[in-house]
Amino acid sequence: MAQPHAAPQSDTPAPDLDAFRLRRFLESLDDASLQRQAEAPLSDVAAILESSPKAVWIDHPGGGQTSLCGNVAGSRERLARAFQTTTTDLPNEVSRRLRNAPRFVEISAQDAPCQQVVLQGDECDLTALPVHLQHGLDGAPYLSAGIDFVKDPDTGWTNVGVRRLMLRGRRTAGIDLVAPSDLRAIYLKQSGKGQRVPIAFAIGTHPIDHIAATMRIPGDELGLLSSLRGAALPVVKCVTNDLMVPADAEFILEGYLDEAGHVEPEGPYGEFLGYYGVVKKNPIFHITAITHRHDAVFQTASISGPNMAWTDTAQLNALRTEVTLWRALETAVREVRGVYAAPANGGMFNVRIALQQRVPGEARNAIAAVFGSLSNVKHVFVVDPDIDIFSDTQMDWALGTRFQADRDLVVQTGMRAMPLDPSLQGARQGAKAGFDLTLPLLAPGEVRPLDYRVPAAPRYEGRRFESLEAALEDGPKYFEELMSAIGSRDGREIVRWLEDTQPSRPVTRDDEGRYLFR
């Protein structure tokens, strides 16, 4: 559990304020990972992002001077690069870093990069930012990559999340606060008292900070940014409110959610499940300050569309799902080998688990643990460690050859569900399905029957012998072992020897096809 963050530590050495800067991360990407272009109309940005699996960086979007990036977190490889690990070990690395104690360093306003330029009051203009229309039927251009910071007045803890903002004018925007969340609960409590909720959005942040903002771990969530960075988090107080925000962000938007409640229409918007979300009533965000670096990079998040697996939101959701489930599985079963949430469906509905069962029933325990730990997961596929959970072809093979629906399907109805799921057809509860794709568990010392073994190219790693007679005197041998026994290059001489030796000393074969003397 995240701990309440301590007061900023003045004795902590001054951090490198560019170490976790978005611009520096973009500059670290090679041509295979980054598409860089000089200009593009804002009207073309969505199509560019939709067509490219790379991160995109446009120097002069809409002819302006503020550069724009998107798709930054839109691949597992780029997320692994952000954490300096491999794609396979990524969930483990995130889980390991979550155990880091949070550390903070308060930066003065004059030294905070995110406050190098300060605009307040009537100087603020959201329409001057490179905000673009993301989907054809969206209600307006959206700011989609903002990390929000709000303080809970009851606990004093900072709540951190990711929220979109729909432009309504130069200084107002709609914010999506329909789905259950800590921020929604804070807002309903404060607006019910007729009070505003101060809020700040960091736009243009390192992928690690976005992962931290998606985590749902009770406690002061500002500390999650420090824990996942594995370094002290530089923070600075906002110009127009008392919130502490990352001092190394590209942009900070300061303001408040007014007390009027869910009163203004927001949407439609292309949601992360690949369909439009309808128009909803939501609160209004009022901006009071825009601060940013001199050479700030504005950020947009790709979401929805025909290439879901390339989007920022799908990849961020998938990693959050994997980390959350791995933590839950560690208490339910003994030996989890891998967890993968497929990003193509939004990063949460279909989950694959590789498990080394120790006792019968652990695959079912794993399915039950996933059902109970994340409401958004609908389908759980559990396989043995020999299956690569990142391979669609291997998973399809396991489903086709190791699964019987009347024996291996686990269905649970009446479960809490994701309201945006269109298959619910308006219901608030749904069904979950678990697919046990594991082979029968072997007893200690038992060998898997031949008809359950997976064919592979011969490796010729058997023992060497002086002759084929000596090899067969040693015991039954597969043909591969006979070739290894004499160092045969093609096995044809063995076929001839087997024929020639029959009259004098017949060779037969056992039930598994091994050769032996009769």
Side-chain angles (χ1 to χ4, degrees):
M1 178 181 295
Q3 298 299 315
H5 69 75
Q9 297 134 4
S10 58
D11 58 340
T12 302
D16 178 355
L17 294 174
D18 283 340
F20 292 93
R21 187 185 177 185
L22 175 61
R23 177 181 283 273
R24 179 175 286 187
F25 180 76
L26 290 170
E27 292 170 345
S28 75
L29 300 177
D30 58 21
D31 291 342
S33 301
L34 178 66
Q35 175 179 326
R36 188 84 182 261
Q37 59 190 81
E39 297 181 350
L42 286 175
S43 58
D44 290 352
V45 170
I48 294 171
L49 296 177
E50 187 176 274
S51 64
S52 177
K54 300 180 181 182
V56 174
W57 193 3
I58 304 170
D59 292 326
H60 302 290
Q65 296 304 305
T66 301
S67 66
L68 171 69
C69 68
N71 277 8
V72 178
S75 82
R76 193 178 186 90
E77 289 74 20
R78 290 195 289 278
L79 290 177
R81 182 185 186 91
F83 283 93
Q84 299 180 325
T85 186
T86 64
T87 56
T88 302
D89 200 48
L90 183 55
N92 277 332
E93 177 63 16
V94 175
S95 296
R96 184 188 67 77
R97 293 194 185 197
L98 284 172
R99 294 191 286 270
N100 291 334
R103 294 175 290 137
F104 301 86
V105 176
E106 185 168 358
I107 307 298
S108 67
Q110 65 182 17
D111 294 327
C114 72
Q115 293 182 357
Q116 289 172 344
V117 177
V118 177
L119 304 173
Q120 297 186 61
D122 292 343
E123 297 178 303
C124 300
D125 186 353
L126 293 172
T127 65
L129 301 173
V131 187
H132 64 97
L133 191 70
Q134 294 191 269
H135 316 100
L137 301 183
D138 286 357
Y142 272 82
L143 292 88
S144 55
I147 297 177
D148 53 84
F149 300 84
V150 168
K151 183 171 288 187
D152 187 332
D154 290 342
T155 64
W157 291 350
T158 301
N159 179 260
V160 182
V162 180
R163 299 290 185 289
R164 63 176 187 251
L165 295 170
M166 186 186 87
L167 296 192
R168 297 179 68 255
R170 293 177 176 83
R171 284 175 285 281
T172 59
I175 182 171
D176 181 27
L177 277 186
V178 174
S181 67
D182 291 337
L183 178 54
R184 173 181 164 84
I186 293 170
Y187 176 74
L188 290 177
K189 180 171 52 182
Q190 295 305 106
S191 62
K193 300 176 184 177
Q195 298 177 0
R196 298 173 175 177
V197 176
I199 190 170
F201 294 86
I203 298 181
T205 53
H206 195 277
I208 287 179
D209 293 354
H210 272 277
I211 290 296
T214 67
M215 292 295 162
R216 298 173 180 173
I217 300 176
D220 191 306
E221 294 173 342
L222 187 62
L224 294 176
L225 279 70
S226 169
S227 296
L228 290 189
R229 288 186 181 193
L233 178 70
V235 294
V236 64
K237 190 175 82 65
C238 285
V239 175
T240 58
N241 60 45
D242 292 330
L243 294 169
M244 303 298 287
V245 292
D248 51 4
E250 303 288 327
F251 281 84
I252 299 293
L253 309 185
E254 303 179 15
Y256 61 90
L257 305 181
D258 70 29
E259 62 275 25
H262 290 65
V263 294
E264 291 292 332
E266 181 268 327
Y269 186 65
E271 295 285 1
F272 67 96
L273 297 184
Y275 303 90
Y276 279 100
V278 299
V279 177
K280 302 175 287 271
K281 292 294 184 68
N282 264 311
I284 300 300
F285 167 70
H286 299 260
I287 195 157
T288 55
I290 298 176
T291 71
H292 61 84
R293 289 176 176 260
H294 287 306
D295 57 346
V297 179
F298 197 78
Q299 186 175 13
T300 187
S302 53
I303 180 171
S304 197
N307 300 309
M308 291 273 286
W310 298 352
T311 61
D312 291 291
T313 50
Q315 289 290 341
L316 292 169
N317 280 336
L319 183 52
R320 189 264 312 273
T321 298
E322 292 168 16
V323 172
T324 302
L325 293 183
W326 202 306
R327 290 159 64 95
L329 287 165
E330 285 178 331
T331 65
V333 293
R334 299 184 184 183
E335 197 170 342
V336 180
R337 294 290 185 86
V339 179
Y340 176 60
N345 59 79
M348 59 179 61
F349 278 170
N350 298 337
V351 173
R352 305 169 183 177
I353 297 167
L355 175 67
Q356 178 60 65
Q357 292 194 87
R358 301 286 189 86
V359 294
E362 281 199 310
R364 305 301 175 95
N365 281 23
I367 290 170
V370 173
F371 281 179
S373 59
L374 265 185
S375 63
N376 298 341
V377 176
K378 291 174 63 177
H379 308 124
V380 186
F381 301 84
V382 181
V383 297
D384 293 305
D386 67 312
I387 299 297
D388 180 2
I389 57 176
F390 297 98
S391 168
D392 292 344
T393 55
Q394 287 200 27
M395 290 297 300
D396 191 56
W397 173 67
L399 178 61
T401 62
R402 302 185 181 186
F403 175 79
Q404 285 293 320
D406 62 346
R407 181 192 66 206
D408 301 318
L409 179 64
V410 180
V411 177
Q412 182 67 55
T413 60
M415 302 289 285
R416 177 184 168 188
M418 161 65 69
L420 287 174
D421 180 0
S423 70
L424 291 171
Q425 298 181 355
R428 304 295 294 180
Q429 295 173 303
K432 297 180 184 292
F435 299 79
D436 184 349
L437 311 184
T438 60
L439 293 171
L441 188 63
L442 296 176
E446 185 179 0
V447 178
R448 183 77 64 193
L450 186 64
D451 53 356
Y452 273 125
R453 298 187 208 174
V454 180
R459 301 178 65 178
Y460 309 112
E461 294 178 343
R463 291 170 51 200
R464 293 294 297 269
F465 292 85
E466 294 182 358
S467 65
L468 290 170
E469 289 90 340
L472 290 178
E473 290 286 358
D474 180 68
K477 297 285 187 295
Y478 290 107
F479 198 90
E480 174 193 10
E481 294 174 303
L482 292 178
M483 291 180 63
S484 299
I486 61 171
S488 172
R489 301 297 297 269
D490 54 39
R492 287 179 290 182
E493 75 274 36
I494 300 175
V495 174
R496 292 191 289 267
W497 179 86
L498 289 171
E499 181 182 46
D500 294 342
T501 194
Q502 287 298 328
S504 59
R505 194 169 185 189
V507 176
T508 188
R509 300 173 72 192
D510 62 15
D511 292 340
E512 290 200 356
R514 295 176 297 181
Y515 293 87
L516 68 160
F517 285 126
R518 184 178 300 170

